[in-house]
Amino acid sequence: MEFVKRQYRLAWDFFKQSLAKPFLGCALAFLALCVVSGLLFGRFTPQAEAVVGQFLSDLEQSGLLKENGTIGLPALLGNNLRATLVAAALGIVPFVYLTVLPLAMNAVVIGAVLAASSAMGAGLWQMVVLGLLPHGVFELPAILLGMAMGLRLCAGLSAAIRKKPGAPRPEELLPQLVRQYVCFCLPLLTVAAVVETFVTPVLMGLAL
């Protein structure tokens, strides 16, 4: 137990020192992109519905959706873990900051879903509070943390390549990021998957 506590202390210290700023930046950028894309798609409903349709088609092809239209817990958890890991791993490419791509894509999809739901008569706040918030309070921080990790990795590798004074060594930075993923992303996404699988459908059913 003491080993686990120590890992969490180290992870929290590293977050405060190295990830808090990129995490906040990702959160603000994500929120802004969700709002902007939602407003834009609100003016172009057919395009919003096309984005949502493509998103649902991708879900079906990925195996997340069962034949009855529900989402399987193992598949959902695996998908979210993989997506967060990819967002972080994109930072392995120095100078380019590829992690901004999944950040923008996720925000655009959420904006399209909200716009399409509103156009179909679903209450926007009802969709947010019942459909997104219950699992989103766990899932979104984990995803944003993965993106912040990707930005930090890219910045660290770029600084090391330029031999910038004080740049972190990759062999020290990578274990820190792995600890963040295991200590924070993994448990948050596990809780989010359970809530999204078993709680969110019930709440949405009560609202219909």
Side-chain angles (χ1 to χ4, degrees):
M1 183 60 69
E2 186 59 34
F3 173 79
V4 175
K5 291 181 179 179
R6 182 172 181 273
Q7 298 309 309
Y8 271 94
R9 284 197 299 267
L10 292 172
W12 179 242
D13 289 341
F14 181 77
F15 175 84
K16 291 187 294 183
Q17 295 170 6
S18 302
L19 290 177
K21 289 183 178 180
F23 179 85
L24 179 59
C26 287
L28 293 175
F30 187 83
L31 177 61
L33 286 172
C34 285
V35 172
V36 171
S37 62
L39 292 174
L40 289 176
F41 279 124
R43 295 176 176 269
F44 302 97
T45 304
Q47 286 77 10
E49 292 175 349
V51 171
V52 174
Q54 183 61 51
F55 174 68
L56 294 176
S57 176
D58 292 341
L59 284 181
E60 292 178 357
Q61 294 179 6
S62 67
L64 285 177
L65 290 178
K66 297 181 180 179
E67 294 182 358
N68 60 3
T70 60
I71 300 177
L73 176 59
L76 177 62
L77 177 59
N79 179 77
N80 289 342
L81 288 172
R82 184 166 55 252
T84 307
L85 182 60
V86 168
L90 286 174
I92 200 70
V93 181
F95 305 111
V96 185
Y97 295 97
L98 292 176
T99 303
V100 300
L101 295 178
L103 187 152
M105 291 173 60
N106 280 279
V108 167
V109 170
I110 290 179
V113 169
L114 294 176
S117 299
S118 179
M120 290 186 295
L124 181 59
W125 288 110
Q126 187 180 74
M127 179 69 180
V128 172
V129 174
L130 299 180
L132 296 177
L133 193 58
H135 66 271
V137 295
F138 303 104
E139 182 176 306
L140 186 56
I143 293 175
L144 292 174
L145 179 58
M147 294 174 179
M149 290 165 56
L151 296 179
R152 183 67 186 89
L153 178 58
C154 182
L157 293 178
S158 300
I161 291 174
R162 296 198 307 266
K163 297 183 179 179
K164 184 177 178 180
R169 292 185 297 177
E171 61 269 24
E172 295 177 349
L173 179 58
L174 288 173
Q176 294 279 11
L177 296 177
V178 171
R179 183 184 288 116
Q180 292 290 311
Y181 185 84
V182 173
C183 289
F184 296 133
C185 291
L186 179 58
L188 283 171
L189 290 175
T190 300
V191 175
V194 171
V195 173
E196 187 172 1
T197 302
F198 300 108
V199 179
T200 300
V202 175
L203 294 176
M204 293 299 293
L206 293 175
L208 295 177

